[in-house]
């Protein structure tokens, strides 16, 4: 049901920072994840329900976008500056890419969940969409 009373706006920037830190977007204390990418059903600190989040493929897309730009820029810079052999590029940039991916993936997923909470998407307090049967 849609309320006639306007709900207070949630802090989007603060929520994104909390989500990127893998913390609850509401309280900033509880962990979003119980494992590497397994989202808790609810915040262990404030009880905010997180089970209805819909991150889907977006965190992977953003992780690839960010890490790809960093690695390709670094690879092109090092190629133009030092002219190293291919094996040196592989020895440097593959571990960098792997490390960036492991670092960014849970953080982008946390930020996306926090954005959904801040904008009241997917059951985080907004109006429920009508079903098209």
């Amino acid at each position: 049901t849609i309320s006639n009373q306007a709900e207070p706006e949630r802090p989007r920037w603060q929520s994104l920072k909390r989500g990127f830190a893998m913390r609850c977007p509401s309280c900033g204390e509880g962990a979003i994840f119980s494992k590497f990418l397994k989202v808790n059903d609810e915040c262990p600190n404030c009880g905010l329900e997180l089970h209805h989040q819909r991150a889907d493929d977006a965190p992977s897309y953003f992780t690839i976008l960010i890490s790809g730009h960093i690695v390709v820029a670094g690879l092109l810079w090092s190629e133009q500056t030092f002219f190293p052999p291919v094996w040196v590029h592989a020895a440097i940039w593959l571990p960098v890419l792997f490390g960036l991916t492991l670092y960014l993936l849970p953080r982008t997923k946390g930020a996306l969940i926090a954005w959904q909470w801040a904008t009241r998407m997917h059951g985080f307090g907004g109006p429920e969409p009508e079903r098209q049967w």
Side-chain angles (χ1 to χ4, degrees):
T1 60
I2 299 175
S3 173
N4 292 337
Q5 194 175 22
E7 295 182 20
E9 196 162 314
R10 294 175 177 167
R12 293 179 182 182
W13 182 245
Q14 182 183 45
S15 300
L16 277 175
K17 289 191 294 188
R18 288 176 174 175
F20 192 80
M22 299 182 296
R23 296 285 164 211
C24 172
S26 180
C27 69
E29 297 294 324
I32 289 181
F33 302 110
S34 60
K35 295 184 180 173
F36 182 63
L37 291 174
K38 172 73 171 123
V39 178
N40 283 323
D41 287 337
E42 62 183 33
C43 172
N45 187 55
C46 70
L48 173 71
E49 291 182 352
L50 299 167
H51 62 86
H52 39 66
Q53 59 81 27
R54 296 284 313 262
D56 299 332
D57 292 337
S60 302
Y61 172 78
F62 290 124
T63 299
I64 292 168
L65 183 72
I66 296 166
S67 59
H69 278 79
I70 292 169
V71 168
V72 168
L75 189 140
L76 290 174
W77 173 80
S78 63
E79 177 64 30
Q80 293 297 315
T81 306
F82 304 111
F83 305 108
V86 173
W87 70 267
V88 172
H89 281 304
I92 293 171
W93 297 111
L94 286 176
V96 168
L97 182 62
F98 186 69
L100 271 173
T101 302
L102 291 178
Y103 177 79
L104 288 174
L105 189 57
R107 285 159 179 79
T108 56
K109 185 171 182 174
L112 187 71
I113 293 168
W115 181 258
Q116 290 175 6
W117 175 81
T119 57
R120 302 178 191 278
M121 295 170 62
H122 305 299
F124 281 111
E128 294 296 320
E130 292 183 28
R131 292 193 171 175
Q132 303 291 323
W133 297 103

